[in-house]
Amino acid sequence: TALASCYSVRNDASWVKVRTINSSAADCPYFTDNLNGSQAVGAVTGGGEVIQTYDGSSIVGFKFETGNGANFLIARRFQVIGETYTGSSPRDVYCSSYSNSSYTAEWYNRGSSNPSDPLIFLRGYSTSTTSKQNCFYCEYEAGQ
């Protein structure tokens, strides 16, 4: 079933934690590598930390998860960072805490001219009442 499949993928032991964002962070931490894994290990301005580097071209997917595990999202690498895209090009979510089945969400990855990208949301940018609601990931926010 979809539930069993999502559960088994979510709990697969091969997932590796590569960065964290503090729950108290007011804005996006100063990550700057477009999730390709090249940013140096250590704390970053804005309440985040890079746990380890990785080869972004060799990974298959991403799992974003809140610290308490209550909310999560799983998507294939290509959907997250495989190309530039805007909200008018919905991205495929494999499964999440919102749905055990696949669905699409409005995210942004507009390239180097938008340093806050990629912007990854649980249900999509337009379904959030504020830009931070349900936001799983963003990079450097202008003004920091």
Side-chain angles (χ1 to χ4, degrees):
T1 67
L3 177 60
S5 176
C6 185
Y7 178 84
S8 64
V9 170
R10 178 186 183 196
N11 294 300
D12 188 300
S14 65
W15 290 111
V16 176
K17 183 186 287 189
V18 295
R19 54 187 69 177
T20 62
I21 299 174
N22 300 340
S23 60
S24 61
D27 291 313
C28 301
Y30 196 82
F31 298 122
T32 58
D33 66 352
N34 196 41
L35 278 174
N36 71 19
S38 63
Q39 189 157 349
V41 172
V44 297
T45 302
E49 181 178 6
V50 175
I51 306 298
Q52 69 180 49
T53 59
Y54 58 93
D55 178 2
S57 66
S58 68
I59 62 171
V60 175
F62 286 95
K63 177 173 83 167
F64 301 92
E65 187 171 62
T66 56
N68 64 6
N71 291 302
F72 72 96
L73 179 148
I74 297 171
R76 293 192 174 278
R77 177 195 175 280
F78 181 80
Q79 297 300 316
V80 178
I81 61 170
E83 64 182 355
T84 57
Y85 53 84
T86 64
S88 62
S89 177
R91 311 311 291 171
D92 295 330
V93 175
Y94 181 79
C95 69
S96 71
S97 52
Y98 170 69
S99 175
N100 291 313
S101 299
S102 62
Y103 63 97
T104 60
E106 181 182 321
W107 301 340
Y108 291 87
N109 189 17
R110 297 163 285 192
S112 60
S113 63
N114 290 278
S116 62
D117 294 357
L119 294 171
I120 309 297
F121 295 86
L122 178 63
R123 295 185 59 198
Y125 185 83
S126 66
T127 60
S128 300
T129 57
T130 69
S131 62
K132 302 234 183 291
Q133 183 182 12
N134 296 314
C135 183
F136 271 108
Y137 189 83
C138 59
E139 294 202 351
Y140 168 72
E141 186 159 303
Q144 283 189 353

